[in-house]
Amino acid sequence: MAQSRLSRRKLLRTTALGAAAVVAAPYVRGAHAAGRLSIGFWDHWVPGANDTLTKLCQEWGEKEKVDLQIDYITSQGNKNLITIAAEHQARSGHDIIQMPTWEPLDKADALEPVDDIMQKIIAENGAASEAAQYLGKSRGKWVAVPATNGSQVKPPVARISLFKQHVGWDPTTAYPADGTNEELAEKWDWNMFLAAAEKCHKAGFPFGVGLGQTTDSVDWVGAVFASFGAQLVNEKGDITVKSDETRQVLDWFKKLVPFLPNDVFAYDDASNNKWLVAGKGALIMNPPSAWSVAKRDNPEVAKDCWHFATPRGPKGRYSPGLPYYWAIWSFSPNKSAAKSLLVHLSKLSSIEKMVAASNGYDIPAYAKALDFPTWREVGPPKGTVYHYPPRGKQIVSLAAAPAPPKIAAQIYTQATMTKMVAKCTQGGQSIDQAIAWAADELEGFMRT
Amino acid sequence: MAELAAEAVRVPAGVRHTSLQKFMRRRSTIAFAMTLPLIVLIVALVIYPAFYSMYLATLNKSMQRFVGLGNFEFLFRRATFWMVVKQSCIFAISAVFFKALIGFFVAHFVHTIPTKGQRKWRGMLMVPWVIPTAISTIGWFWLFDPSYSAFNWLLGKFGVDPVPWLGHPLWARFSVILVNVWYGAPFFMIMYLAALKSVPEQLYEAAAIDGANWFQRLWYITLPMMRNIIAITVLFSLIVTFANFDIVRILTAGGPVDQTHVFATWAFLLGIQGNDIPLGAAVSLFMLPILGVSAIFILRGVRRRTIEA
């Protein structure tokens, strides 16, 4: 039998020497010593906004020695919602994923709590808005960090010349770049919106407001519902769709639809933008992305655009909101790096860069981050986005609120409100039939 | 024990080798070995997911409790579900009918082209079928686009009002069926063309001598000779069309007001987007009996005709 050349004594000596060498060796930090981090960000509509975000992440990655993999996922065709749902089901995917509105609460069971970093962020940036807290906290704990990029409202964007000529009302006078003409602004309610829609339709420039199934349509229809006081489900989870308020709001939509283009029911989030940029319509409900694209593709239209407050309804002036969040999946293998990156992106200096890169599109959630010069300065026309962030008595509307998150997420995803409008307008059903249909659908959403 | 071991040692190594070789050379063994990769794929990607979805369909929404057939009972009480059943049948039957009809006539036209120039026509006509559906459907979406529809631009040149291709339920149904027919007709064409080429020329010559006109030749020779191919192609296409997802998803996402949803897109909406996997699984499983029954009838006809032949 051949004898092993490695004796027990020799083995022990070699092992001890090896271990000592490892302990004593100087720590050499590689380029990506802190591992990898994959992020699924929402793909911005404003040209160039993604580049600034990438740069901010890369600065952090180089400093912290983390290898970054960034994917920009579009909300066109709800691709971001599909990706979130697929990763949630598969318990696999990005470390950080950007989620809109109800998604953090709906997927709270699969998210890493971020209370620890939110305390630091709030201490630096000031309190988070009520809307951001409502959708970002589950049982009093933050489950996701309010994102700056993508967080938006969808107020009216109108063509100044067309409004002056055909409506006889100048949005730049009612909502100038340095304040609000309260008297003129007071007249701006949903009835006036209806009258303006009729006049612009007759003039050949109909309003391009969507009634499809994607966020732009759902958000603005949700704001109209809220401003009429129509709730589908209350905060306790009771179905409250059968109400006079719902009948009133549907009746209002029945009056509006004949003045809209005949394919608004097929609109996605790009359709209304194209409508405005092509110079076909007098108004859309949108963040400044349509105007930003028009600056590049149709500068004459861009110069003629003005963003201003959402019309007032019987229950108040509700601005259609769509807050975004950065969430860390609980299955992420690199949670500490993910948290560190989110703290970096939530610094006031980072937020200011994102707001500037998006031409004021991104609306931060924090009190100290709402007075950057971008909203006053960008143009042309200068001051066009001054009234884009909700000012004065405006309330940020969250479509499907105040329903419990699991039900609200269903109402939002399945676009129940826009379908109700479509049923009693294009579908030829009565308002009561549309309400009965919605009640049946809502009953289905109560499944546990 | 030691003797047995000695016996084993004495057995010539070549004998054992030969039996293994014999086993390996058996036709059934070779056939099994060659189909094994496919069997593994089918088990992993078809049979396992099928049984897993059956299991999922018996759970509650949070997938923590067994509810038996509760999900199906829930679906049967929903008007939207029956609307989706109706739409899936309209979509699949009308699309397969037009694909079969167009494929049949185009195959006849191509068959009459001399062999020399036929190949390029076959190639060109196959283009819709070989382009990935997601890409070609995006092209169609741009043609139908609400704001920039090229079709509407053309219609406008003739003074025709814009058509809401994807914005009105009837037009949207028409559009998704049209794209499906455009995509699927070449498959029928190539299958029919292969069948036409296998019909013996003597039969047509005999019919011509008997004075048969073109319709009689078609009715009494071509169609009976192609019947099995037609049946199998229709069955295959029916299964694929019933399970279609990409065309509807890209063009309309089931809208407007759910009126173009088919089983797959609605199951996706409920299961993935709506976070209700068991209900989504129940919707997708509903296709199984429909396709199973049609497969039994069609394949029974094929078998009967084969035996008669």
Side-chain angles (χ1 to χ4, degrees), chain A residues 357-382:
Chain A
S358 66
N359 283 331
Y361 180 109
D362 297 336
I363 298 184
Y366 308 103
K368 289 185 193 169
L370 294 171
D371 200 27
F372 295 128
T374 304
W375 291 298
R376 283 191 298 275
E377 289 171 2
V378 293
K382 194 177 176 189

Side-chain angles (χ1 to χ4, degrees), chain B residues 51-61 63-72 277-279 281-282 285:
Chain B
F51 278 96
Y52 187 58
S53 67
M54 282 178 203
Y55 161 72
L56 285 174
T58 61
L59 301 177
N60 71 330
K61 187 182 174 185
M63 298 199 281
Q64 290 164 332
R65 195 161 35 88
F66 177 77
V67 292
L69 297 176
N71 287 325
F72 292 96
I277 294 282
L279 201 61
L285 281 175

Side-chain angles (χ1 to χ4, degrees), chain B:
Chain B
M1 236 4 225
E3 279 173 17
L4 276 174
E7 282 290 322
V9 171
R10 268 184 231 120
V11 174
V15 175
R16 276 184 296 160
H17 204 67
T18 312
S19 357
L20 184 66
Q21 272 180 338
K22 267 186 187 168
F23 176 74
M24 290 306 290
R25 279 180 187 170
R26 264 194 223 155
R27 294 182 106 191
S28 58
T29 311
I30 293 166
F32 179 75
M34 291 180 84
T35 52
L36 193 60
L38 191 62
I39 291 170
V40 170
L41 273 180
I42 289 172
V43 169
L45 300 178
V46 180
I47 295 175
Y48 168 70
F51 278 96
Y52 187 58
S53 67
M54 282 178 203
Y55 161 72
L56 285 174
T58 61
L59 301 177
N60 71 330
K61 187 182 174 185
S62 55
M63 298 199 281
Q64 290 164 332
R65 195 161 35 88
F66 177 77
V67 292
L69 297 176
N71 287 325
F72 292 96
E73 192 196 333
F74 174 82
L75 281 175
F76 293 167
R77 283 189 275 115
R78 311 229 76 77
T80 311
F81 172 72
W82 292 112
M83 188 174 78
V84 171
V85 173
K86 189 182 89 179
Q87 281 160 197
S88 297
C89 292
I90 292 171
F91 174 75
I93 292 167
S94 53
V96 170
F97 174 77
F98 285 109
K99 279 188 270 192
L101 197 68
I102 293 168
F104 186 79
F105 283 109
V106 174
H108 272 81
F109 290 134
V110 174
H111 191 51
T112 56
I113 296 171
T115 320
K116 199 182 165 192
Q118 208 183 79
R119 194 191 283 175
K120 60 186 171 205
W121 279 103
R122 279 203 310 256
M124 282 190 288
L125 287 164
M126 288 302 287
V127 166
W129 198 63
V130 296
I131 299 175
T133 337
I135 293 170
S136 56
T137 311
I138 287 172
W140 278 98
F141 178 79
W142 288 333
L143 294 172
F144 293 134
D145 184 276
S147 300
Y148 294 121
S149 165
F151 288 144
N152 282 345
W153 179 79
L154 270 179
L155 290 174
K157 296 276 172 201
F158 297 100
V160 179
D161 284 339
V163 174
W165 297 105
L166 306 174
H168 190 278
L170 282 179
W171 281 113
R173 280 180 190 164
F174 168 80
S175 302
V176 291
I177 291 170
L178 173 73
V179 177
N180 193 279
V181 170
W182 172 85
Y183 164 71
F187 171 69
F188 278 80
M189 185 272 294
I190 207 74
M191 295 294 282
Y192 291 169
L193 195 60
L196 277 173
K197 285 185 184 300
S198 66
V199 179
E201 201 56 38
Q202 296 92 320
L203 293 177
Y204 291 114
E205 283 164 11
I209 292 164
D210 289 347
N213 59 25
W214 71 270
F215 180 77
Q216 285 167 321
R217 289 203 297 270
L218 177 77
W219 193 254
Y220 292 107
I221 300 173
T222 311
L223 275 178
M225 295 299 285
M226 287 174 69
R227 219 150 35 154
N228 277 355
I229 287 288
I230 292 174
I232 289 167
T233 314
V234 164
L235 172 66
F236 182 78
S237 180
L238 202 64
I239 291 168
V240 173
T241 312
F242 251 111
N244 185 271
F245 174 79
D246 36 16
I247 291 174
V248 175
R249 176 77 208 170
I250 292 168
L251 282 186
T252 64
V257 204
D258 298 328
Q259 302 225 25
T260 55
H261 266 307
V262 289
F263 284 121
T265 54
W266 202 51
F268 184 79
L269 178 75
L270 294 178
I272 303 295
Q273 282 186 258
N275 206 14
D276 195 341
I277 294 282
L279 201 61
V283 171
S284 58
L285 281 175
F286 195 78
M287 283 190 283
L288 198 66
I290 298 177
L291 296 177
V293 169
S294 45
I296 288 167
F297 276 102
I298 292 171
L299 292 177
R300 201 168 64 177
V302 171
R303 192 164 165 266
R304 196 178 58 227
R305 283 191 292 275
T306 312
I307 292 166
E308 282 168 7

